[in-house]
Amino acid sequence: MNLAELKSKMDQAHYIYDDTLATVLAVALELGRPLLIEGAAGVGKTEIAKVMASALDRELVRLQCYEGLDESKALYEWNYQKQLLSIQVNMASQDRESLTQSLFTDAYLLERPLLKSIRSEKPVVLLIDEIDKADEEFEAFLLELLSEMQVTIPEVGTIRAKTIPFVILTSNRARPLSEALRRRCAYLYIQYPDMEKELSILRAKLPHVDDRLCAQVALAVQKLRSNETILKKPSIAETLDWAAALDALGIRELTPDALRSTAGFILKNSEDLAALQEMEEEDHHCACGGNCGEHSHG
């Protein structure tokens, strides 16, 4: 798929992109290179994998990373219950060696995301989400897959990819990633969208929502993200949820009352809600010219 075709597919999916993002995706796909996408939580890294799966008409295989993730959850696992049952049934009819060999075949192999992605008859999009949450040991384990498109299972041997998946790794930069991993990947860094791009996303995803309200929502989100007291910056998904909630309530203008009553759709902890209240009080103070307490009542 060339760059023009990819852009057309992303347009059909109503995905808002810039030329740099589209170019990196197209070249990484053409070269068969894994793509590492970094950026803050909520900027839309995972969405890129979903859009690419749709654009390429491929299955999306997702591996969600977390601390303590190991091969048995990411690559493969043996069906121990089925193996034990087979041992009980065949102990009398098979010698020990042939019985043992028969237990480590495809019939007893449970595919996890990594193995599934390279054994698939049709190419897939493999999303390795939040790789920075996994341990460094797991990151090192991934290198064979990323560089050789193969994995090694001790009981079976080396399994080479039947088809080459388009691999997308995402990172919130919770910890530094190794240079070895970075060398194997193309790289893309994504920031929160600016006002214009956020408004374009709202218009594309929620075309039925009043345009003036979308502009007010986009502006409010920009202010919230720029405020240092807000701990969890609103994600793009939360921006969309908030606009949809306001629309569902029949709200056409983002008044202070509307903001307060729907703040739980855009801010997700008590500290940030308290910070929002402080922002409102400061805005009110400024609107009064700083002389609210000095009005004459005589």
Side-chain angles (χ1 to χ4, degrees):
M1 179 179 294
N2 61 36
L3 180 57
E5 291 171 334
L6 180 58
K7 285 183 175 182
S8 175
K9 291 286 188 180
M10 289 194 289
D11 288 337
Q12 291 172 28
H14 304 293
Y15 183 77
I16 306 302
Y17 59 89
D18 56 33
D19 284 340
T20 298
L21 186 149
T23 301
V24 171
L25 285 171
V27 175
L29 180 63
E30 177 68 24
L31 298 179
R33 290 288 297 279
L35 174 62
L36 171 62
I37 307 175
E38 286 192 320
V43 297
K45 301 183 296 297
T46 301
E47 185 67 17
I48 291 176
K50 296 177 180 178
V51 169
M52 288 301 291
S54 174
L56 298 170
D57 193 23
R58 297 185 183 185
E59 180 184 0
L60 176 64
V61 178
R62 180 173 182 172
L63 174 63
Q64 179 62 52
C65 297
Y66 54 87
E67 188 177 351
L69 176 65
D70 59 17
E71 294 180 33
S72 66
K73 296 294 186 293
L75 182 59
Y76 75 100
E77 203 169 4
W78 293 109
N79 189 331
Y80 298 116
Q81 291 181 328
K82 190 174 180 181
Q83 286 174 324
L84 286 172
L85 181 61
S86 180
I87 290 171
Q88 293 172 350
V89 171
N90 297 303
M91 275 183 67
S93 59
Q94 280 186 274
D95 64 81
R96 181 174 297 182
E97 184 176 346
S98 61
L99 177 56
T100 300
Q101 289 178 348
S102 71
L103 296 175
F104 296 101
T105 60
D106 271 5
Y108 302 94
L109 187 63
L110 300 176
E111 292 183 339
R112 299 308 183 207
L114 298 184
L115 185 60
K116 178 181 179 180
S117 68
I118 67 168
R119 297 219 311 172
S120 173
E121 296 294 337
K122 296 181 179 180
V124 304
V125 172
L126 171 61
L127 170 61
I128 303 176
D129 214 7
E130 299 183 310
I131 180 60
D132 53 319
K133 288 187 177 180
D135 302 323
E136 292 179 11
E137 292 79 7
F138 180 76
E139 185 185 326
F141 157 73
L142 274 180
L143 297 180
E144 180 185 15
L145 173 67
L146 297 179
S147 59
E148 305 295 336
M149 283 300 160
Q150 65 182 34
V151 294
T152 301
I153 297 178
E155 301 88 347
V156 176
T158 299
I159 298 178
R160 292 179 174 80
K162 291 182 179 179
T163 54
I164 304 299
F166 181 47
V167 183
I168 295 178
L169 303 94
T170 72
S171 168
N172 297 335
R173 307 184 80 178
R175 68 169 177 83
L177 301 177
S178 71
E179 290 303 315
L181 178 73
R182 291 180 180 278
R183 281 196 302 271
R184 286 163 173 78
C185 302
Y187 180 77
L188 191 62
Y189 181 75
I190 298 181
Q191 302 183 56
Y192 285 114
D194 59 19
M195 172 73 182
E196 183 180 349
K197 186 175 182 181
E198 191 124 42
L199 184 53
S200 296
I201 293 170
L202 282 164
R203 288 168 173 164
K205 297 294 186 181
L206 301 172
H208 59 283
V209 176
D210 183 78
D211 196 63
R212 184 164 178 263
L213 177 63
C214 284
Q216 292 174 340
V217 166
L219 180 59
V221 170
Q222 294 290 318
K223 288 182 177 180
L224 288 171
R225 290 199 190 116
S226 65
N227 190 310
E228 294 182 0
T229 59
I230 299 295
L231 301 176
K232 184 187 179 299
K233 309 301 182 185
S235 69
I236 297 172
E238 287 160 349
T239 301
L240 293 168
D241 284 346
W242 190 25
L246 291 164
D247 182 66
L249 290 169
I251 294 171
R252 294 293 176 265
E253 183 170 353
L254 189 58
T255 63
D257 285 343
L259 173 57
R260 280 191 294 272
S261 64
T262 59
F265 285 92
I266 195 70
L267 299 175
K268 302 301 174 72
N269 59 56
S270 59
E271 293 86 354
D272 288 345
L273 290 173
L276 174 62
Q277 186 174 350
E278 288 181 13
M279 290 169 63
E280 287 186 304
E281 290 172 356
E282 288 175 4
D283 287 345
H284 175 69
H285 180 74
C286 292
C288 292
N291 298 312
C292 299
E294 299 178 11
H295 290 240
S296 171
H297 298 283

